[in-house]
Amino acid sequence: MKVATPPPSVLQLNKKVGDLSNELVRHFLIECTHKGVRLKGCPNEPYFGSLTALVYQHSITPLALPCKLLIPDRDPLEEIAETAPQTAANSAAELLKQGAACNVWYLNSVEMESLTGYQAVQKALSITLMQEPPPISTVVHFKVSAQGITLTDNQRKLFFRRHYPVNTVIFCALDPQDRKWMKEGPSAKVFGFVARKQGSATDNVCHLFAEHDPEQPASAIVNFVSKVMIGSQKKI
């Protein structure tokens, strides 16, 4: 990809060279592993289930790239009248068909009455951190699809499976105070999604989670739920 200015490391090595135009094109390799595809040599990059998912996520946030990817809405080699625009909504629909899943820590579910947004996530975590004894946490399989969010308790410690239909999930975000959750090992970022309480048209419940696999960061999960799943619903 072509960047506006070379990286600082290149500028440092080429102080005496006048023309740096050849350094404006930066190369990034995509590696395939049993976990999926990712940018090679970028430890802060998550694994993606497909190349489509990798490209789409980097069109939302640059992550390790110097800038976001720009997905054209039409083929530049064809006449406008002959091309069908490839919109972000189409890309999102394709991603949802494939679905995305990873393991996360399930922390708690807190009733919020009508509260939603960042305030709901913040309040739910504050309540959870003050609970004595603290709520039991467990590793769950967190799957996002066109049907909604499905949680499967891997050890059936708290429940077997819970499903939140796509039309009931109204918000998803990281903790706005960036508080961490401590379990065994390093601290983990916390995120939550707000969904309508079953059988209610106004009351909400905030469901809290923490990162389990550092290669599947909470920010990537939140982006997928917010931009792809919830975002697709808003465009319908």
Side-chain angles (χ1 to χ4, degrees), residues 85-126:
Q86 172 66 26
T87 63
N90 291 337
S91 299
E94 287 300 314
L95 284 175
L96 282 175
K97 282 182 183 178
Q98 299 174 24
C102 63
N103 285 336
V104 296
W105 285 102
Y106 168 79
L107 306 184
N108 201 10
S109 293
V110 184
E111 294 192 7
M112 291 282 102
E113 295 184 341
S114 61
L115 190 65
T116 186
Y118 289 101
Q119 289 180 320
V121 177
Q122 181 177 329
K123 182 177 180 180
L125 183 55
S126 295

Side-chain angles (χ1 to χ4, degrees), residues 29-32 36-39 47-58 69 71 95 98:
L29 297 178
I30 297 174
E31 62 177 351
C32 297
V37 296
R38 70 181 299 189
L39 291 184
Y47 287 93
F48 296 91
S50 67
L51 185 59
T52 303
L54 183 149
V55 172
Y56 184 78
Q57 183 62 50
H58 286 84
L69 296 180
I71 301 177
L95 284 175
Q98 299 174 24

Side-chain angles (χ1 to χ4, degrees), residues 217-235:
S219 57
I221 301 171
V222 168
N223 271 330
F224 194 87
V225 174
S226 300
K227 304 289 179 62
V228 180
M229 193 191 81
I230 299 177
S232 296
Q233 278 295 108
K234 291 179 179 178
K235 292 171 185 174

